[in-house]
Amino acid sequence: MNFDDYSRCVAWQDGYWPENWPEIDPWAAQPTPSTSSGDSGSVAGSSSGDGLDAGAAADMRTTVMLRNLPHTLTRDRLLRTLDAMGFFGQYDLVYIPVDFSSGTSLGYAFVNMVAPSLVPHLWEAFEG
């Protein structure tokens, strides 16, 4: 395993939880990632420097940052709002940073959707 790649250390990424993690041999050669367009060629020569082109990376993103939220918003209230808006079961992580001195939120939150195809729906619902 390349120590610059921490993607396998994050439990919620790609829907992997500890009980269904695949067996990984850290000494085995890792496969070359393919592009999302079904291209059989390697993406190692992409110009972004991270092994993925910008379009493929955007198609795989599942985390959305919600900004300009009220400082009085709690995580429980955001969960209830997401569920009421029809996103029940479509997210697996909600994080609202809190100012420990005042006990209020910092005005933003992160929501991780279970699939990249759900991200545009969340953006549309919270836009404006």
Side-chain angles (χ1 to χ4, degrees), residues 38-106:
D39 209 5
S40 62
S42 171
V43 294
S46 69
S47 61
S48 66
D50 63 356
L52 295 174
D53 61 20
D59 292 341
M60 296 185 329
R61 293 181 190 150
T62 56
T63 304
V64 176
M65 179 180 188
L66 303 176
R67 299 184 298 171
N68 300 323
L69 298 175
H71 292 279
T72 57
L73 182 70
T74 63
R75 182 178 182 275
D76 183 52
R77 179 65 182 160
L78 180 57
L79 291 175
R80 287 186 283 156
T81 301
L82 288 169
D83 292 346
M85 294 176 74
F87 293 105
F88 180 79
Q90 296 181 14
Y91 57 89
D92 57 4
L93 173 83
V94 174
Y95 173 65
I96 299 180
V98 174
D99 178 5
F100 292 110
S101 63
S102 66
T104 61
S105 75
L106 297 176

Side-chain angles (χ1 to χ4, degrees), residues 20-31:
N20 63 350
W21 277 354
E23 290 296 322
I24 298 173
D25 180 5
W27 306 110
Q30 298 299 316

